[in-house]
Short mmCIF file of all heavy atoms in Angstrom, two decimals:
data_model
loop_
_atom_site.label_atom_id
_atom_site.label_comp_id
_atom_site.label_asym_id
_atom_site.label_seq_id
_atom_site.Cartn_x
_atom_site.Cartn_y
_atom_site.Cartn_z
N VAL A 8 100.24 94.57 68.78
CA VAL A 8 100.27 93.92 70.09
C VAL A 8 99.89 94.91 71.18
O VAL A 8 99.13 94.60 72.10
CB VAL A 8 101.67 93.31 70.36
CG1 VAL A 8 101.76 92.79 71.80
CG2 VAL A 8 101.97 92.20 69.37
N SER A 9 100.40 96.16 71.06
CA SER A 9 100.08 97.19 72.05
C SER A 9 98.59 97.51 72.04
O SER A 9 97.97 97.65 73.11
CB SER A 9 100.90 98.45 71.76
OG SER A 9 100.58 99.47 72.67
N ALA A 11 96.17 95.54 71.03
CA ALA A 11 95.45 94.38 71.56
C ALA A 11 95.54 94.35 73.08
O ALA A 11 94.54 94.08 73.77
CB ALA A 11 96.03 93.10 70.97
N ALA A 12 96.73 94.65 73.63
CA ALA A 12 96.90 94.65 75.08
C ALA A 12 96.02 95.70 75.73
O ALA A 12 95.41 95.45 76.79
CB ALA A 12 98.37 94.89 75.43
N SER A 13 95.92 96.89 75.12
CA SER A 13 95.08 97.94 75.67
C SER A 13 93.61 97.52 75.68
O SER A 13 92.89 97.73 76.66
CB SER A 13 95.25 99.22 74.86
OG SER A 13 96.58 99.68 74.88
N GLY A 14 93.16 96.91 74.57
CA GLY A 14 91.79 96.45 74.50
C GLY A 14 91.51 95.35 75.51
O GLY A 14 90.44 95.32 76.14
N ILE A 15 92.47 94.44 75.68
CA ILE A 15 92.32 93.36 76.66
C ILE A 15 92.21 93.93 78.06
O ILE A 15 91.36 93.52 78.87
CB ILE A 15 93.50 92.38 76.54
CG1 ILE A 15 93.38 91.57 75.25
CG2 ILE A 15 93.57 91.45 77.75
CD1 ILE A 15 94.63 90.78 74.92
N LEU A 16 93.08 94.90 78.38
CA LEU A 16 93.07 95.49 79.72
C LEU A 16 91.73 96.16 80.01
O LEU A 16 91.12 95.94 81.07
CB LEU A 16 94.22 96.49 79.83
CG LEU A 16 94.49 97.07 81.22
CD1 LEU A 16 95.99 97.30 81.41
CD2 LEU A 16 93.77 98.39 81.43
N THR A 19 88.84 93.54 80.23
CA THR A 19 88.86 92.76 81.46
C THR A 19 88.43 93.62 82.65
O THR A 19 87.75 93.13 83.56
CB THR A 19 90.26 92.18 81.71
OG1 THR A 19 90.76 91.59 80.53
CG2 THR A 19 90.21 91.13 82.81
N CYS A 64 90.03 87.60 84.76
CA CYS A 64 91.41 87.41 84.27
C CYS A 64 91.52 86.12 83.46
O CYS A 64 91.99 86.12 82.31
CB CYS A 64 92.38 87.40 85.45
SG CYS A 64 94.03 86.77 85.08
N VAL A 67 89.14 85.96 80.10
CA VAL A 67 89.61 86.75 78.96
C VAL A 67 90.91 86.18 78.41
O VAL A 67 91.08 86.05 77.19
CB VAL A 67 89.79 88.23 79.36
CG1 VAL A 67 90.38 89.02 78.20
CG2 VAL A 67 88.45 88.83 79.77
N ALA A 68 91.84 85.81 79.30
CA ALA A 68 93.11 85.24 78.82
C ALA A 68 92.86 83.93 78.09
O ALA A 68 93.44 83.67 77.02
CB ALA A 68 94.05 85.02 80.00
N GLY A 69 91.99 83.08 78.64
CA GLY A 69 91.70 81.81 77.98
C GLY A 69 91.04 82.00 76.63
O GLY A 69 91.38 81.31 75.67
N PHE A 71 91.32 84.56 74.64
CA PHE A 71 92.29 85.10 73.69
C PHE A 71 93.23 84.00 73.21
O PHE A 71 93.52 83.90 72.01
CB PHE A 71 93.08 86.23 74.36
CG PHE A 71 93.86 87.07 73.39
CD1 PHE A 71 93.29 88.19 72.80
CD2 PHE A 71 95.17 86.75 73.06
CE1 PHE A 71 94.01 88.97 71.90
CE2 PHE A 71 95.89 87.52 72.17
CZ PHE A 71 95.31 88.63 71.59
N MET A 72 93.70 83.16 74.14
CA MET A 72 94.61 82.09 73.74
C MET A 72 93.91 81.08 72.84
O MET A 72 94.51 80.50 71.93
CB MET A 72 95.17 81.39 74.98
CG MET A 72 96.22 82.20 75.71
SD MET A 72 97.06 81.24 76.98
CE MET A 72 98.22 82.47 77.60
N THR A 75 94.13 82.35 69.27
CA THR A 75 95.43 82.75 68.74
C THR A 75 96.35 81.53 68.76
O THR A 75 95.98 80.45 69.21
CB THR A 75 96.07 83.88 69.56
OG1 THR A 75 96.37 83.39 70.88
CG2 THR A 75 95.14 85.08 69.65
N LEU A 77 99.16 81.50 70.50
CA LEU A 77 100.02 81.54 71.68
C LEU A 77 100.04 80.18 72.36
O LEU A 77 98.99 79.52 72.49
CB LEU A 77 99.50 82.58 72.68
CG LEU A 77 99.81 84.05 72.39
CD1 LEU A 77 99.14 84.93 73.42
CD2 LEU A 77 101.31 84.30 72.37
N PRO A 78 101.21 79.71 72.80
CA PRO A 78 101.27 78.42 73.50
C PRO A 78 100.53 78.50 74.82
O PRO A 78 100.73 79.42 75.61
CB PRO A 78 102.78 78.20 73.72
CG PRO A 78 103.39 79.57 73.62
CD PRO A 78 102.54 80.34 72.65
N ALA A 79 99.65 77.53 75.07
CA ALA A 79 98.76 77.61 76.23
C ALA A 79 99.06 76.57 77.29
O ALA A 79 98.38 76.53 78.32
CB ALA A 79 97.31 77.47 75.78
N GLY A 81 101.52 76.15 79.58
CA GLY A 81 101.81 76.72 80.89
C GLY A 81 100.61 77.41 81.48
O GLY A 81 100.35 77.33 82.69
N PHE A 82 99.83 78.09 80.62
CA PHE A 82 98.64 78.79 81.11
C PHE A 82 97.60 77.80 81.64
O PHE A 82 96.97 78.06 82.66
CB PHE A 82 98.03 79.63 79.99
CG PHE A 82 96.67 80.16 80.34
CD1 PHE A 82 96.53 81.21 81.23
CD2 PHE A 82 95.53 79.60 79.77
CE1 PHE A 82 95.27 81.69 81.56
CE2 PHE A 82 94.27 80.08 80.09
CZ PHE A 82 94.14 81.13 80.99
N VAL A 85 98.62 76.78 85.15
CA VAL A 85 98.47 77.83 86.15
C VAL A 85 97.01 78.20 86.35
O VAL A 85 96.59 78.54 87.46
CB VAL A 85 99.33 79.07 85.78
CG1 VAL A 85 98.69 79.89 84.68
CG2 VAL A 85 99.56 79.95 87.01
N MET A 167 100.11 95.18 92.90
CA MET A 167 100.02 94.28 91.75
C MET A 167 99.76 94.97 90.42
O MET A 167 100.10 94.43 89.38
CB MET A 167 98.95 93.21 92.01
CG MET A 167 99.29 92.29 93.16
SD MET A 167 100.95 91.56 92.97
CE MET A 167 101.16 90.75 94.54
N VAL A 168 99.14 96.15 90.42
CA VAL A 168 98.93 96.84 89.15
C VAL A 168 100.28 97.23 88.51
O VAL A 168 100.50 96.95 87.32
CB VAL A 168 98.00 98.06 89.32
CG1 VAL A 168 98.09 99.00 88.12
CG2 VAL A 168 96.56 97.59 89.51
N PRO A 169 101.23 97.84 89.25
CA PRO A 169 102.53 98.11 88.61
C PRO A 169 103.26 96.85 88.17
O PRO A 169 103.88 96.83 87.10
CB PRO A 169 103.31 98.84 89.71
CG PRO A 169 102.28 99.45 90.59
CD PRO A 169 101.15 98.46 90.60
N VAL A 170 103.19 95.79 88.99
CA VAL A 170 103.90 94.55 88.63
C VAL A 170 103.31 93.95 87.35
O VAL A 170 104.04 93.62 86.40
CB VAL A 170 103.81 93.52 89.78
CG1 VAL A 170 104.37 92.17 89.34
CG2 VAL A 170 104.58 94.02 91.00
N THR A 171 101.99 93.80 87.30
CA THR A 171 101.37 93.18 86.13
C THR A 171 101.49 94.07 84.89
O THR A 171 101.68 93.56 83.77
CB THR A 171 99.90 92.86 86.40
OG1 THR A 171 99.22 94.03 86.89
CG2 THR A 171 99.77 91.76 87.46
N ALA A 172 101.40 95.38 85.07
CA ALA A 172 101.56 96.29 83.93
C ALA A 172 102.97 96.17 83.35
O ALA A 172 103.16 96.19 82.12
CB ALA A 172 101.27 97.73 84.36
N PHE A 173 103.97 96.04 84.22
CA PHE A 173 105.35 95.91 83.76
C PHE A 173 105.53 94.61 82.97
O PHE A 173 106.12 94.61 81.88
CB PHE A 173 106.31 95.93 84.96
CG PHE A 173 107.76 95.93 84.59
CD1 PHE A 173 108.46 97.12 84.49
CD2 PHE A 173 108.44 94.74 84.35
CE1 PHE A 173 109.81 97.13 84.14
CE2 PHE A 173 109.78 94.73 84.00
CZ PHE A 173 110.46 95.93 83.90
N VAL A 174 105.03 93.50 83.51
CA VAL A 174 105.17 92.22 82.81
C VAL A 174 104.42 92.25 81.47
O VAL A 174 104.92 91.75 80.46
CB VAL A 174 104.67 91.07 83.69
CG1 VAL A 174 104.72 89.74 82.93
CG2 VAL A 174 105.50 90.96 84.97
N ALA A 175 103.24 92.86 81.47
CA ALA A 175 102.49 92.98 80.22
C ALA A 175 103.27 93.77 79.18
O ALA A 175 103.33 93.40 78.00
CB ALA A 175 101.13 93.64 80.48
N ALA A 176 103.90 94.86 79.61
CA ALA A 176 104.69 95.68 78.68
C ALA A 176 105.91 94.91 78.17
O ALA A 176 106.31 95.07 77.01
CB ALA A 176 105.14 96.97 79.37
N CYS A 177 106.49 94.06 79.02
CA CYS A 177 107.66 93.28 78.59
C CYS A 177 107.31 92.32 77.46
O CYS A 177 108.18 91.94 76.67
CB CYS A 177 108.22 92.49 79.78
SG CYS A 177 109.14 93.50 80.96
N GLY A 178 106.04 91.94 77.37
CA GLY A 178 105.61 91.07 76.28
C GLY A 178 105.80 91.69 74.91
O GLY A 178 105.88 90.98 73.90
N LEU A 179 105.86 93.04 74.85
CA LEU A 179 106.10 93.71 73.57
C LEU A 179 107.53 93.48 73.09
O LEU A 179 107.79 93.51 71.88
CB LEU A 179 105.85 95.22 73.73
CG LEU A 179 104.44 95.64 74.15
CD1 LEU A 179 104.39 97.14 74.38
CD2 LEU A 179 103.42 95.22 73.10
N LEU A 180 108.45 93.25 74.04
CA LEU A 180 109.86 93.12 73.70
C LEU A 180 110.37 91.68 73.76
O LEU A 180 111.37 91.36 73.11
CB LEU A 180 110.70 93.98 74.65
CG LEU A 180 110.33 95.48 74.72
CD1 LEU A 180 111.14 96.16 75.82
CD2 LEU A 180 110.58 96.13 73.38
N LEU A 181 109.70 90.85 74.54
CA LEU A 181 110.17 89.48 74.77
C LEU A 181 109.10 88.49 74.28
O LEU A 181 108.17 88.18 75.02
CB LEU A 181 110.46 89.26 76.26
CG LEU A 181 111.47 90.22 76.90
CD1 LEU A 181 111.47 90.06 78.41
CD2 LEU A 181 112.86 89.96 76.33
N PRO A 182 109.21 88.00 73.05
CA PRO A 182 108.17 87.10 72.51
C PRO A 182 107.92 85.86 73.37
O PRO A 182 106.78 85.41 73.49
CB PRO A 182 108.73 86.72 71.13
CG PRO A 182 109.63 87.86 70.77
CD PRO A 182 110.24 88.31 72.05
N ASP A 183 108.98 85.32 74.01
CA ASP A 183 108.80 84.12 74.83
C ASP A 183 107.95 84.39 76.06
O ASP A 183 107.43 83.46 76.67
CB ASP A 183 110.17 83.58 75.27
CG ASP A 183 110.97 82.99 74.12
OD1 ASP A 183 110.35 82.71 73.06
OD2 ASP A 183 112.18 82.80 74.27
N LEU A 184 107.82 85.65 76.41
CA LEU A 184 107.06 86.02 77.61
C LEU A 184 105.59 86.30 77.31
O LEU A 184 104.81 86.55 78.22
CB LEU A 184 107.71 87.25 78.26
CG LEU A 184 107.24 87.65 79.67
CD1 LEU A 184 107.59 86.57 80.70
CD2 LEU A 184 107.86 88.99 80.09
N ARG A 185 105.19 86.25 76.05
CA ARG A 185 103.86 86.74 75.67
C ARG A 185 102.69 85.99 76.32
O ARG A 185 101.70 86.63 76.68
CB ARG A 185 103.73 86.79 74.15
CG ARG A 185 104.44 88.02 73.61
CD ARG A 185 104.35 88.21 72.14
NE ARG A 185 105.11 89.41 71.75
CZ ARG A 185 105.51 89.70 70.53
NH1 ARG A 185 105.20 88.87 69.55
NH2 ARG A 185 106.17 90.80 70.28
N PRO A 186 102.74 84.67 76.52
CA PRO A 186 101.62 84.05 77.26
C PRO A 186 101.47 84.63 78.67
O PRO A 186 100.35 84.96 79.09
CB PRO A 186 102.01 82.57 77.28
CG PRO A 186 102.87 82.40 76.07
CD PRO A 186 103.65 83.67 75.97
N ALA A 187 102.58 84.77 79.39
CA ALA A 187 102.52 85.36 80.72
C ALA A 187 102.14 86.83 80.67
O ALA A 187 101.41 87.34 81.53
CB ALA A 187 103.87 85.20 81.43
N ALA A 188 102.62 87.54 79.63
CA ALA A 188 102.29 88.96 79.48
C ALA A 188 100.80 89.15 79.22
O ALA A 188 100.18 90.11 79.70
CB ALA A 188 103.10 89.58 78.34
N LEU A 189 100.19 88.21 78.47
CA LEU A 189 98.75 88.28 78.24
C LEU A 189 97.99 88.14 79.55
O LEU A 189 97.07 88.92 79.84
CB LEU A 189 98.33 87.17 77.27
CG LEU A 189 96.82 86.93 77.15
CD1 LEU A 189 96.12 88.15 76.58
CD2 LEU A 189 96.55 85.68 76.31
N VAL A 190 98.36 87.17 80.37
CA VAL A 190 97.70 86.99 81.67
C VAL A 190 97.95 88.19 82.56
O VAL A 190 97.07 88.62 83.32
CB VAL A 190 98.18 85.69 82.33
CG1 VAL A 190 97.48 85.49 83.68
CG2 VAL A 190 97.91 84.49 81.43
N ALA A 191 99.16 88.76 82.46
CA ALA A 191 99.46 89.96 83.25
C ALA A 191 98.53 91.11 82.86
O ALA A 191 98.02 91.84 83.73
CB ALA A 191 100.92 90.37 83.05
N ALA A 192 98.29 91.28 81.56
CA ALA A 192 97.39 92.35 81.11
C ALA A 192 95.97 92.12 81.60
O ALA A 192 95.29 93.06 82.03
CB ALA A 192 97.42 92.43 79.58
N THR A 193 95.50 90.87 81.55
CA THR A 193 94.13 90.61 82.01
C THR A 193 94.01 90.76 83.52
O THR A 193 93.01 91.27 84.02
CB THR A 193 93.66 89.20 81.58
OG1 THR A 193 94.49 88.20 82.16
CG2 THR A 193 93.67 89.06 80.07
N LEU A 194 95.03 90.34 84.27
CA LEU A 194 94.97 90.51 85.73
C LEU A 194 95.06 91.98 86.11
O LEU A 194 94.36 92.44 87.02
CB LEU A 194 96.10 89.72 86.39
CG LEU A 194 96.12 89.76 87.93
CD1 LEU A 194 94.78 89.31 88.52
CD2 LEU A 194 97.27 88.91 88.48
N CYS A 195 95.89 92.74 85.39
CA CYS A 195 95.97 94.17 85.63
C CYS A 195 94.62 94.82 85.40
O CYS A 195 94.14 95.62 86.22
CB CYS A 195 97.03 94.79 84.73
SG CYS A 195 97.32 96.56 85.00
N GLY A 196 93.98 94.49 84.29
CA GLY A 196 92.66 95.05 84.00
C GLY A 196 91.64 94.65 85.04
O GLY A 196 90.83 95.47 85.49
N ALA A 197 91.65 93.37 85.45
CA ALA A 197 90.68 92.90 86.44
C ALA A 197 90.85 93.63 87.77
O ALA A 197 89.88 93.97 88.45
CB ALA A 197 90.83 91.39 86.63
N LEU A 224 99.29 83.46 90.36
CA LEU A 224 99.40 84.00 89.01
C LEU A 224 100.59 84.94 88.88
O LEU A 224 101.36 84.85 87.91
CB LEU A 224 98.10 84.73 88.64
CG LEU A 224 96.88 83.85 88.35
CD1 LEU A 224 95.61 84.68 88.37
CD2 LEU A 224 97.04 83.13 87.02
N VAL A 225 100.74 85.83 89.84
CA VAL A 225 101.86 86.79 89.76
C VAL A 225 103.19 86.07 89.96
O VAL A 225 104.18 86.39 89.29
CB VAL A 225 101.66 87.92 90.79
CG1 VAL A 225 102.88 88.84 90.82
CG2 VAL A 225 100.41 88.73 90.46
N GLY A 226 103.22 85.10 90.86
CA GLY A 226 104.44 84.33 91.04
C GLY A 226 104.85 83.62 89.76
O GLY A 226 106.03 83.58 89.40
N TRP A 227 103.86 83.07 89.03
CA TRP A 227 104.15 82.42 87.74
C TRP A 227 104.69 83.43 86.73
O TRP A 227 105.66 83.16 86.01
CB TRP A 227 102.88 81.76 87.22
CG TRP A 227 102.98 81.27 85.80
CD1 TRP A 227 103.76 80.25 85.34
CD2 TRP A 227 102.27 81.78 84.66
NE1 TRP A 227 103.57 80.09 83.97
CE2 TRP A 227 102.66 81.02 83.53
CE3 TRP A 227 101.34 82.80 84.48
CZ2 TRP A 227 102.16 81.26 82.26
CZ3 TRP A 227 100.83 83.03 83.22
CH2 TRP A 227 101.23 82.27 82.12
N MET A 228 104.07 84.61 86.66
CA MET A 228 104.55 85.63 85.72
C MET A 228 106.00 86.01 86.03
O MET A 228 106.82 86.16 85.11
CB MET A 228 103.69 86.90 85.85
CG MET A 228 102.26 86.75 85.45
SD MET A 228 101.35 88.23 85.96
CE MET A 228 99.68 87.57 86.02
N LEU A 229 106.31 86.19 87.31
CA LEU A 229 107.67 86.57 87.69
C LEU A 229 108.66 85.45 87.40
O LEU A 229 109.80 85.70 87.02
CB LEU A 229 107.70 86.96 89.17
CG LEU A 229 106.90 88.22 89.53
CD1 LEU A 229 106.89 88.43 91.04
CD2 LEU A 229 107.47 89.46 88.83
N LEU A 230 108.22 84.19 87.58
CA LEU A 230 109.07 83.06 87.23
C LEU A 230 109.36 83.04 85.73
O LEU A 230 110.50 82.83 85.31
CB LEU A 230 108.39 81.76 87.65
CG LEU A 230 109.11 80.45 87.27
CD1 LEU A 230 110.49 80.38 87.89
CD2 LEU A 230 108.27 79.24 87.68
N GLU A 231 108.32 83.27 84.92
CA GLU A 231 108.52 83.32 83.48
C GLU A 231 109.44 84.48 83.09
O GLU A 231 110.28 84.35 82.19
CB GLU A 231 107.17 83.47 82.77
CG GLU A 231 106.26 82.25 82.90
CD GLU A 231 106.77 81.05 82.13
OE1 GLU A 231 107.23 81.24 80.99
OE2 GLU A 231 106.72 79.93 82.68
N LEU A 232 109.29 85.63 83.77
CA LEU A 232 110.17 86.77 83.50
C LEU A 232 111.61 86.42 83.86
O LEU A 232 112.54 86.71 83.09
CB LEU A 232 109.69 87.99 84.29
CG LEU A 232 110.53 89.27 84.17
CD1 LEU A 232 110.54 89.76 82.72
CD2 LEU A 232 109.99 90.35 85.09
N ALA A 233 111.80 85.79 85.02
CA ALA A 233 113.15 85.40 85.42
C ALA A 233 113.74 84.41 84.44
O ALA A 233 114.95 84.42 84.18
CB ALA A 233 113.11 84.80 86.83
N THR A 235 113.59 84.42 81.32
CA THR A 235 114.16 85.10 80.15
C THR A 235 115.54 85.69 80.44
O THR A 235 116.14 86.32 79.58
CB THR A 235 113.23 86.24 79.68
OG1 THR A 235 113.20 87.28 80.68
CG2 THR A 235 111.83 85.73 79.43
N LEU A 244 110.48 93.82 91.23
CA LEU A 244 109.07 94.21 91.10
C LEU A 244 108.26 93.96 92.38
O LEU A 244 107.49 94.82 92.79
CB LEU A 244 108.44 93.48 89.91
CG LEU A 244 108.95 93.92 88.53
CD1 LEU A 244 108.44 92.99 87.45
CD2 LEU A 244 108.53 95.36 88.23
N LEU A 307 116.85 95.64 82.54
CA LEU A 307 116.60 95.05 81.21
C LEU A 307 117.36 95.80 80.12
O LEU A 307 117.82 95.19 79.15
CB LEU A 307 115.10 95.09 80.91
CG LEU A 307 114.19 94.26 81.82
CD1 LEU A 307 112.74 94.39 81.36
CD2 LEU A 307 114.61 92.80 81.85
#
Side-chain angles (χ1 to χ4, degrees):
V8 173
S9 178
S13 300
I15 289 169
L16 188 145
T19 313
C64 166
V67 176
F71 194 89
M72 286 190 179
T75 66
L77 282 176
F82 169 74
V85 77
M167 295 308 172
V168 164
V170 172
T171 52
F173 185 94
V174 176
C177 285
L179 300 175
L180 304 174
L181 303 169
D183 290 344
L184 191 64
R185 281 181 181 163
L189 168 64
V190 180
T193 61
L194 182 55
C195 184
L224 287 165
V225 174
W227 170 68
M228 295 169 202
L229 294 174
L230 176 60
E231 293 291 318
L232 178 62
T235 67
L244 292 170
L307 296 181

